[in-house]
């Protein structure tokens, strides 16, 4: 039998897999335990190379084909929910990714997992609930898969897995305060930028469909080589070219609206520009939508576009390019706000500090 656990990378998802293996062992049977990249081929490979009676696998990024099969066959699924900030810190502090890459990777996991929010054969278990009452959490995991455990069995399983459960709030995962852990590990500016987007994903995973995903300038790149990440206003002077692109984040499948908040200096007024939204598939860029605009005023401008994502594993790009050469001008990125539907302004984000000086 195959047992499916979906969750973010880190010890909580691993603990849930281990609990399932221990519950199966309580029945006198054996199970293999693995984490897969997220395709049907990965599952087939694991089944062929193992001889245990059961396979317990986890994935954070089930691709489109695997997602469709998991929903179609309606077999029990455990959705192991933890703070996306912990997932990013886990990747970073384990040396698997740098600061920005860890956030981008977690955005992909979150975007795939959000697609299971409304699936009725999914049992949702949050880390906080497991920490508050681990015995009940173990019994919930068992009940989800028909492995009902009495109090004595649950206690034996807890005794064998309690150290792994404690690791979920260890320093490598941000400790007791992953928000503070982001600032400590990434620095103040990038830590705050990571918190904006990961906080949005946390709420999306909790079922709030209307929460925005706010991605600030720290995840965009300058159009000029060496394509460094944006930290200051960008010089627009020169030939027609890309001024900025990125952020190479993932967002859940569905219809979205973009509000791109930027600022221009007075010298840039009248400059014709193109802004487009697309996704990357390896080296290939697929444009989803575009708009033509002219810089009409000095200071803050908002650009709005609508588009649809079908594959959350394709990283998103928002690109701004000039259509003709200009002699002078600067542009500053405030933020890109992605929403499933129109809403109010983006919370308490102070965009004035992100715009170019007068």
């Amino acid at each position: 039998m195959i047992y499916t656990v979906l969750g973010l990378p880190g010890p909580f998802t691993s603990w849930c897999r281990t609990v399932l293996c221990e519950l199966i062992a309580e029945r006198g049977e054996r199970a293999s335990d693995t984490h897969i990249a997220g395709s049907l081929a990965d599952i087939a490979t694991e089944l062929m190379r193992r001889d245990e009676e059961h396979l317990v696998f986890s994935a954070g990024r089930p691709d489109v084909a695997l997602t469709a099969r998991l929903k179609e066959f309606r077999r029990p699924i455990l959705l192991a929910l933890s703070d996306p900030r912990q997932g990013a810190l886990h990747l970073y502090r384990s040396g698997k990714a740098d600061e920005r890459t860890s956030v981008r990777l977690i955005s992909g996991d979150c975007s795939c997992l959000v697609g299971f929010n409304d699936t009725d054969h999914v049992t949702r278990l949050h880390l906080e609930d497991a920490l508050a009452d681990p015995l009940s959490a173990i019994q919930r995991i068992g009940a989800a898969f028909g492995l009902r455990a009495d109090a004595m069995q649950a206690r034996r399983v807890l005794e064998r897995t309690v150290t792994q459960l404690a690791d979920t709030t260890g320093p490598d995962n941000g400790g007791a305060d992953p928000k503070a852990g982001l600032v400590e590990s990434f620095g103040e500016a990038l830590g705050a930028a990571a918190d904006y987007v990961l906080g949005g994903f946390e709420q999306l995973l909790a079922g709030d469909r209307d929460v925005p995903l706010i991605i600030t300038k720290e995840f965009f790149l300058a159009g000029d080589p060496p394509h460094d990440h944006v930290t200051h206003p960008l010089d627009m002077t020169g030939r027609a070219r890309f001024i900025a692109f990125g952020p190479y984040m993932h967002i859940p499948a569905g219809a979205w609206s973009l509000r791109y908040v930027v600022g221009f200096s007075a010298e840039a007024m009248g400059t014709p520009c193109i802004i487009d939204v697309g996704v990357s598939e390896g080296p290939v860029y697929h444009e989803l939508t575009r708009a033509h605009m002219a810089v009409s005023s000095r200071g803050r401008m908002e650009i709005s576009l609508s588009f649809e994502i079908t594959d959350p594993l394709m990283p998103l790009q928002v690109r701004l390019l000039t259509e003709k050469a200009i002699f002078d001008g600067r542009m500053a990125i405030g933020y890109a706000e992605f929403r499933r539907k129109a809403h109010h302004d983006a919370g308490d984000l102070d965009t004035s500090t992100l715009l170019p000086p007068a």
Side-chain angles (χ1 to χ4, degrees):
M1 184 171 176
I2 299 174
Y3 298 82
T4 305
V5 178
L6 301 179
L8 298 178
F12 182 55
T13 300
S14 299
W15 179 77
C16 290
R17 290 200 322 265
T18 302
V19 166
L20 272 169
C21 289
E22 293 291 346
L23 289 169
I24 292 169
E26 286 287 321
R27 297 163 61 113
E29 301 172 4
R30 295 186 306 160
S32 59
D33 168 19
T34 188
H35 182 83
I36 66 169
S39 73
L40 288 166
D42 295 324
I43 297 175
T45 299
E46 292 298 330
L47 288 172
M48 293 176 66
R49 61 189 288 262
R50 300 172 186 271
D51 60 1
E52 284 85 352
E53 300 161 272
H54 305 279
L55 172 66
V56 178
F57 81 89
S58 65
R61 292 181 162 216
D63 63 17
V64 172
L66 178 56
T67 294
R69 298 292 84 76
L70 289 173
K71 292 183 176 181
E72 175 186 355
F73 295 133
R74 302 183 60 79
R75 300 293 295 274
I77 297 171
L78 178 68
L79 184 56
L81 296 170
S82 55
D83 191 328
R85 303 172 185 87
Q86 291 176 305
L89 287 167
H90 173 78
L91 292 178
Y92 172 69
R93 291 184 173 176
S94 63
K96 296 178 180 177
D98 62 26
E99 298 94 331
R100 288 178 174 85
T101 303
S102 68
V103 176
R104 289 181 170 121
L105 289 173
I106 289 298
S107 76
D109 291 62
C110 290
S111 294
C112 292
L113 298 181
V114 164
F116 290 87
N117 268 347
D118 300 324
T119 307
D120 57 12
H121 56 281
V122 169
T123 297
R124 297 163 58 89
L125 178 65
H126 200 283
L127 170 60
E128 292 180 358
D129 296 328
L131 291 172
D133 191 347
L135 290 175
S136 293
I138 290 169
Q139 290 179 310
R140 282 188 61 196
I141 293 172
F145 295 95
L147 301 170
R148 298 188 180 278
D150 59 30
M152 185 175 296
Q153 289 173 315
R155 190 169 298 280
R156 286 198 299 265
V157 171
L158 178 59
E159 289 173 354
R160 296 194 292 266
T161 64
V162 66
T163 300
Q164 193 173 358
L165 181 60
D167 289 341
T168 59
T169 55
D172 287 345
N173 302 294
D177 188 354
K179 289 186 179 183
L182 285 176
V183 174
E184 178 185 348
S185 294
F186 294 2
E188 186 170 351
L190 185 55
D195 184 49
Y196 275 125
V197 64
L198 295 176
F201 276 115
E202 180 185 30
Q203 294 178 67
L204 284 175
L205 287 170
D208 186 350
R209 290 179 51 86
D210 298 334
V211 69
L213 294 173
I214 298 172
I215 304 174
T216 53
K217 66 179 184 297
E218 286 79 5
F219 290 98
F220 286 84
L221 295 101
D224 292 323
H227 303 306
D228 291 331
H229 283 91
V230 174
T231 56
H232 302 290
L234 302 171
D235 186 5
M236 301 173 66
T237 306
R239 58 180 172 78
R241 59 191 171 83
F242 285 100
I243 305 300
F245 62 100
Y248 293 105
M249 290 281 186
H250 304 262
I251 64 175
W256 291 83
S257 63
L258 163 68
R259 186 164 67 113
Y260 193 39
V261 180
V262 294
F264 295 97
S265 66
E267 297 82 3
M269 287 182 59
T271 302
C273 300
I274 295 174
I275 181 168
D276 68 18
V277 178
V279 293
S280 301
E281 186 177 14
V284 179
Y285 177 75
H286 301 283
E287 184 178 284
L288 301 176
T289 188
R290 69 160 50 193
H292 294 262
M293 55 161 281
V295 179
S296 58
S297 62
R298 166 179 162 269
R300 173 186 174 127
M301 287 188 64
E302 296 187 8
I303 305 158
S304 297
L305 292 170
S306 296
F307 61 94
E308 185 171 359
I309 290 286
T310 58
D311 186 347
L313 287 177
M314 289 189 180
L316 192 72
Q317 282 200 61
V318 180
R319 311 189 303 179
L320 189 142
L321 58 149
T322 53
E323 292 192 85
K324 71 174 187 179
I326 65 172
F327 293 106
D328 193 12
R330 287 177 298 162
M331 169 197 156
I333 298 174
Y335 57 92
E337 176 188 292
F338 299 93
R339 286 185 181 267
R340 291 184 182 271
K341 62 180 183 178
H343 255 266
H344 304 296
D345 288 341
D348 58 358
L349 180 62
D350 182 8
T351 60
S352 64
T353 62
L354 306 175
L355 300 180

